[in-house]
Each structure stands twice: as structure tokens, then as C-alpha cells.
């Protein structure tokens, strides 16, 4: 786990295989924060980092309905369609049988960390360690 994520107390994880329904297995909250996606094999490999929620100049949070849950399930990736469709297709293409998604609320009553800033720090640490971004992150 990345050290910058240890301070966030509202967190959980779930596993997803190509035969699962992402809508059914996703236990992410409707809060704002970051999520990390790992390909699970003999070793876990971080393959993606994402976030949701925007902090306004008055310090308030702007979040789309559904928060982390909606971003994980319905967010677009690999195609102009929700992850509930594109993730299983990409997993089959890359021969990934299981992924694990770990999510953290970074902005709530107790924490006030900007989701994209936390996402950027995790990606920066990954880049420093690996010389590249996780393979499912196209750019940052």
C-alpha cells in the first residue's frame, strides 16, 4: 500500500472476474476519492489509478451522483462505454482472470485531501519506482 493512502479511514476493496457483474460486486461508496486497480496473479500488479470529485475554490466538493461507485462502474475506459463492459473485454484481451479494486474516500467530514492530488501522488510514486505509469493509465 502507498503510504499516502494509510491516513484515509473510509476504505474497502472488492475483487472482479470476467464472469462477475461489476455493478453487483462493486462495494465502493458514493463518496469522493481514489481507486487503485490491481491485476491479481502470482503477484499483484498495480495496473490503474483513478479518482473522482473536484474541490471548488470555496473548499466545497463537487461530485457527480454515485461518486466512487459510479466512476468505477460507469466511467469510460478503453472505449466510449462504461467499465462494466470495457474491463471484462480488456481483461480477456490481456489474459487477466481477476482484478482487485481498492478504494479510499479522500474528501469527507474527516479528510480533506483533493482526490486528483492524491491520485497524482500515487502515480508519481509509481513513475519514480517503475519509470512509467500503470499500464491502464493512458496519461496523467
Amino acid at each position: 500500500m502507498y503510504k499516502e493512502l494509510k491516513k484515509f479511514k473510509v476504505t474497502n476493496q472488492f475483487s472482479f472476474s470476467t464472469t462477475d457483474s461489476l455493478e453487483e460486486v462493486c462495494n465502493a461508496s458514493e463518496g469522493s476519492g481514489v481507486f487503485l486497480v490491481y491485476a491479481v496473479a502470482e503477484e499483484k500488479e498495480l495496473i490503474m489509478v483513478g479518482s473522482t470529485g473536484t474541490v471548488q475554490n470555496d473548499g466545497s466538493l463537487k461530485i457527480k451522483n454515485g461518486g466512487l461507485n459510479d466512476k468505477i462502474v460507469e466511467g469510460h475506459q478503453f472505449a466510449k462505454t462504461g467499465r462494466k463492459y470495457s474491463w471484462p473485454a480488456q481483461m480477456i484481451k490481456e489474459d487477466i482472470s481477476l482484478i482487485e479494486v481498492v478504494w479510499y474516500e479522500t474528501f469527507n467530514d474527516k479528510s480533506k485531501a483533493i482526490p486528483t492530488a492524491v491520485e497524482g501522488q500515487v502515480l508519481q510514486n509509481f513513475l519514480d519506482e517503475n519509470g512509467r505509469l500503470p499500464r491502464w493509465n493512458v496519461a496523467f
Side-chain angles (χ1 to χ4, degrees):
M1 180 204 298
Y2 289 92
K3 66 181 183 292
E4 54 274 310
L5 299 173
K6 289 182 182 174
K7 65 182 174 183
F8 303 114
K9 304 300 179 210
V10 181
T11 177
N12 209 333
Q13 63 187 53
F14 64 91
S15 296
F16 174 71
S17 73
T18 57
T19 58
D20 291 331
S21 162
L22 187 55
E23 291 167 300
E24 290 176 16
V25 299
C26 180
N27 64 2
S29 74
E30 293 186 2
S32 182
V34 299
F35 60 97
L36 285 67
V37 182
Y38 296 90
V40 179
E42 291 167 21
E43 292 187 23
K44 285 188 354 181
E45 174 194 357
L46 180 63
I47 58 174
M48 187 197 150
V49 181
S51 68
T52 187
T54 305
V55 177
Q56 304 299 298
N57 69 349
D58 66 358
S60 67
L61 180 71
K62 180 179 176 186
I63 186 166
K64 292 181 181 173
N65 290 341
L68 281 160
N69 189 294
D70 188 65
K71 180 76 170 196
I72 292 168
V73 174
E74 299 291 346
H76 292 186
Q77 188 172 5
F78 306 119
K80 293 187 184 210
T81 185
R83 289 186 178 97
K84 63 185 176 185
Y85 303 115
S86 64
W87 275 4
Q90 190 68 23
M91 289 167 67
I92 291 167
K93 183 177 175 183
E94 295 186 27
D95 197 26
I96 299 171
S97 58
L98 187 69
I99 60 174
E100 182 179 284
V101 179
V102 184
W103 57 268
Y104 303 85
E105 277 190 22
T106 66
F107 199 99
N108 55 31
D109 291 342
K110 296 195 171 29
S111 301
K112 299 289 184 220
I114 299 169
T116 51
V118 176
E119 176 188 18
Q121 187 59 59
V122 172
L123 287 171
Q124 183 65 58
N125 290 345
F126 187 93
L127 178 65
D128 291 346
E129 293 169 16
N130 300 281
R132 61 174 179 82
L133 294 179
R135 66 184 181 193
W136 283 12
N137 282 93
V138 176
F140 184 76

